[in-house]
Structure formats: structure tokens, C-alpha cells
Amino acid sequence: MGTIACSLWPVLAHAIIHPIIPPMSNRAAALYALQVTDLEIDAVRHRLTAIRTALGETEAVRQARVAVTAAEAELNHWYIRQRDLELSVAGLGAKLAETEAQLYGGHVRNPKQLTELQAEAASLGRQRRALEDDLLEAMLNVEDRTAAVAAARQALADVEAAWQSSQAGLRAEATQLEARLQALSGEREAYLMGISADDLAVYEALRRRKGGQAVALVEGDACGACGVALFSSRLQQARQSESLTTCGNCDRILYLP
Ligand SMILES: [Zn+2]
């Protein structure tokens, strides 16, 4: 009871057959040491994945870039409007000058024709003033939008600078973590020398089922992983036996330091 029948567990394809070296103090201790290393390997890999995800353009940079494009499009719209109105005002001005030249040139003497020319000159003058108002509005908008584009470009430069420095920090952290992972992998190999292929298969299968924690420390007289109190016979077995003793509740291998 309490000893895992190893034949029940599928032998992992990648499990290497190691010569069975007498365990440190017992088999559970060797597995516990392995687990400490494996949990750190898991954490390092998890962090490296997060860093690799973050080593892309951030949402803040993307939004700042979108804001610059939008501000530039607005400016362009008002700039084109200003150019169109300038051309229209100039066209009306030329037409008005032509009408006034006819009106005051002395060649037209017919009163009806003169009245028509006066009305046309007045109408052209009104049209030009209306266009000049529109032109003024367009010019003010161009001024405002030019300032908005400059502000958006500055905001993008700021957010990009912050992004670049965080990228440098993340790259440095990734380099450190990769070195740590290599060291841990060496540690793991060393621990594996003291663990039988069967025990390793049990351990690996339990790790998959139990969220990475195959071995539980005994704390007081309870399982440190699930907290359930252990029968004294099971505690005794965990303390003395060279076989693996498991928690009756969560099935994890018990280790009494
Ligand atoms: Zn338990």
C-alpha cells in the first residue's frame, strides 16, 4: 500500500535507462531535488515565453503611430481645401477685375448694360468675400493641424524611446534566463544520474497530472501539497522505506526531509 506499482505507469519514450545508483538518502529525496530544478526550469521557460511575446511592437507604439497618420491625413485635407479656395478666390478676383474694367472703362454707355455690370460686380464681390471667409477658416485649420501633427510625432518619438529602452531590458533579461536555463539543464542531468528510469517515469507522469508538482514535502503530519493529514503508518513508511510512498489523497510522492 502506498507504493506505486511502477508497471502501472507507461514508460516514457524519452526516459533514458540510467544505472541504478544508490539514492542520496532515499528515492523520494532524489526526486524532490529533481523537482526543485524542474520547477525553476518551468518558471524560467514561462518568463522567456512572456519576454518573447513582449519583444514585439507594443500597443502604445502602434496607437501613437495610428495617431500620427490620422493627424497627417487631417492636415492634408485642410491643406488641399486651402489651395482650392486660394485658386477660387484668385479666379473670382480676375473675373471681378474684368467686370470692373468694363464698368469703369468708358466703352459701355448703355444704362441697362451698365446696371447689369454693376449687379454682376456686386455679386462677384459677395461670392469672393464668402470664399475668403472659407479660406480664412481653412488657413486656421491648417495652422492647428500642423501643430497637431507635430504633437503626435513628438508623442510617437517619446513612446518609441520608452519602448526601445524596455526592449533592451527585456533582451538582457532573456540572455540571463537562457544562461540560467543551461545551468539548470546541467543540474537536471546530474540529478538524473541518481534516479532510476522507473522512478523517473512515475515522476514525469505525476508532474503532467499534478500541475508540475509530483513530490510533496511532509509538513507536520500532513501532505504539504494537498494539506490532508497522513496516517501514521504512511508517515512511518515515508520515513523509513526505500520505496516510494504516496499521499492517499492527492497521489503525490511524499518526501520527509
Ligand atoms: Zn496530498
Side-chain angles (χ1 to χ4, degrees), residues 10-135:
V11 175
L12 298 179
H14 66 267
I16 311 150
I17 309 296
H18 290 292
I20 300 175
I21 293 163
M24 329 173 153
S25 57
N26 64 40
R27 289 155 63 189
L31 290 176
Y32 183 74
L34 177 65
Q35 176 171 281
V36 170
T37 301
D38 277 343
L39 288 175
E40 192 180 342
I41 288 174
D42 291 348
V44 168
R45 285 202 176 124
H46 189 259
R47 179 66 188 146
L48 273 171
T49 303
I51 287 174
R52 281 177 192 130
T53 306
L55 280 174
E57 195 171 85
T58 63
E59 184 58 18
V61 174
R62 200 191 63 76
Q63 278 181 3
R65 214 183 287 289
V66 167
V68 168
T69 308
E72 284 172 344
E74 278 272 297
L75 172 61
N76 193 46
H77 163 79
W78 282 106
Y79 185 71
I80 289 168
R81 175 106 175 108
Q82 180 186 330
R83 292 290 302 147
D84 285 348
L85 287 165
E86 278 168 354
L87 289 172
S88 301
V89 167
L92 274 174
K95 228 170 157 184
L96 183 61
E98 203 181 301
T99 309
E100 282 174 344
Q102 280 184 285
L103 188 61
Y104 306 117
H107 300 295
V108 181
R109 294 183 190 281
N110 180 327
K112 189 172 176 261
Q113 252 186 304
L114 285 170
T115 308
E116 278 172 10
L117 282 171
Q118 263 175 340
E120 198 189 334
S123 163
L124 287 169
R126 279 195 301 276
Q127 282 179 53
R128 192 172 68 167
R129 278 192 295 281
L131 283 183
E132 279 169 348
D133 286 348
D134 289 349
L135 177 59

Side-chain angles (χ1 to χ4, degrees), residues 208-223:
R208 280 195 297 276
R209 279 173 52 215
K210 301 289 176 183
Q213 199 190 353
V215 187
L217 282 177
V218 175
E219 285 167 7
D221 60 354
C223 167

Side-chain angles (χ1 to χ4, degrees), residues 223 225-226 247 249-250:
C223 167
C226 72
C247 169
N249 181 55
C250 72

